[in-house]
Amino acid sequence: MTGRLHWAALLLGLTATGCSESVYLDSEGPSSPTTSSSRTPTATGIPKNATFLLRIGPDGSLEQAGSAGVTIDTARLHDGALRTVKGSPEAGASPAIDFPGFVRTEYYPRAIIRVVNAGTRDQLNPGTADFRFGADFVIDKESSGAAADNGDNLVQRGLSSDPVMFKVEIDRDRPSCLVRGAEGVVAVRSADFIQPGWWYRVECHRTEDAVTLTLTEFAPDGSVTTTETTAPGRTGAIVMPEAGVPLSVGGKLARNGGPIESATDQFNGRAANAYLVIAR
């Protein structure tokens, strides 16, 4: 692996376990990374200028409410299915998608939302621009513990075997962001553990020299709290090998758009308002 790996929240115990994809600390990386964190009683808003924004139609259809020309469908394994359910009133009351529940069997149902460029031009490539991505979510009480489903990947494009990638996952009940570009990797993990059954909004924001994870908690008592954790480091340009590399919601997909049966990292819970915003 070339470039540098800047691993924020290293002292908080960030590891690659809990997900079949692995990223290892480069010997060139900093010995004592700096992480800044703050907490405020406010909520981040759903972006209005999204490149991609997932909406659910009245008939349960998956719709693009952003500016990019994309196609949206569902990649399935073993009769996996998505259901439309009620969203969170605190998070905007948008309908949500209920993903398959966790099952401790080898051939369990899986379903992942697949987003692909509609043409040959890659409108989902951040390049060197600032970009952010995330979603509203609530995770099931049980969501990992099998070889093929040992993680909860929420929004992702690219894999660990690709030269570039970005993802947000909720492994072991703690959200984390990972961005790999031409110059290196920056990873950051929230210090906060999420509560299964509670609604949250998570965002990863890549700038020129840092990645910030923002986590908003919508507690059942009506309180709203937002925590920001920032990891310094340059990732450089993010240009996918080809326009057909899918962006996925609720798991990870191979370059050909199919689920990875041996390591799907199926998200087990409900999600709404998945988005990608690229500053143009």
Side-chain angles (χ1 to χ4, degrees), residues 75-272:
R76 297 183 173 87
L77 273 177
H78 309 305
D79 300 319
L82 303 175
R83 296 189 305 123
T84 302
V85 295
K86 184 179 179 181
S88 165
E90 297 87 352
S94 300
I97 292 293
D98 189 16
F99 290 86
F102 177 76
V103 179
R104 293 182 182 275
T105 59
E106 183 177 0
Y107 298 102
Y108 70 94
R110 279 162 274 185
I112 300 167
I113 297 172
R114 177 172 50 204
V115 183
V116 180
N117 286 285
T120 58
R121 185 168 71 92
D122 196 335
Q123 300 178 65
L124 305 176
N125 257 344
T128 58
D130 290 1
F131 74 101
R132 52 197 176 101
F133 58 98
D136 297 340
F137 72 93
V138 56
I139 204 164
D140 293 341
K141 185 174 182 180
E142 186 175 22
S143 64
S144 65
D149 185 7
N150 200 29
D152 287 274
N153 293 18
L154 188 54
V155 179
Q156 177 165 349
R157 193 175 189 213
L159 299 170
S160 62
S161 56
D162 293 331
V164 296
M165 68 171 294
F166 57 86
K167 69 176 177 178
V168 55
E169 61 189 11
I170 321 295
D171 289 13
R172 296 188 175 186
D173 293 337
R174 284 170 66 188
S176 63
C177 307
L178 188 147
V179 180
R180 174 188 288 126
E183 297 181 27
V185 184
V186 176
V188 57
R189 192 175 191 179
S190 174
D192 294 331
F193 286 85
I194 65 168
Q195 297 293 325
W198 290 23
W199 276 98
Y200 293 83
R201 178 171 295 149
V202 64
E203 177 179 281
C204 304
H205 185 190
R206 194 283 299 267
T207 58
E208 181 181 8
D209 55 6
V211 174
T212 297
L213 186 157
T214 303
L215 180 67
T216 299
E217 175 188 276
F218 302 95
D221 64 3
S223 62
V224 179
T225 303
T226 295
T227 300
E228 287 190 351
T229 306
T230 298
R234 295 177 62 89
T235 56
I238 298 177
V239 179
M240 294 294 162
E242 54 192 65
V245 174
L247 182 147
S248 59
V249 180
K252 66 185 182 187
L253 297 172
R255 191 178 296 185
N256 64 6
I260 302 173
E261 184 158 6
S262 62
T264 312
D265 287 353
Q266 173 77 62
F267 178 78
N268 306 119
R270 288 164 281 163

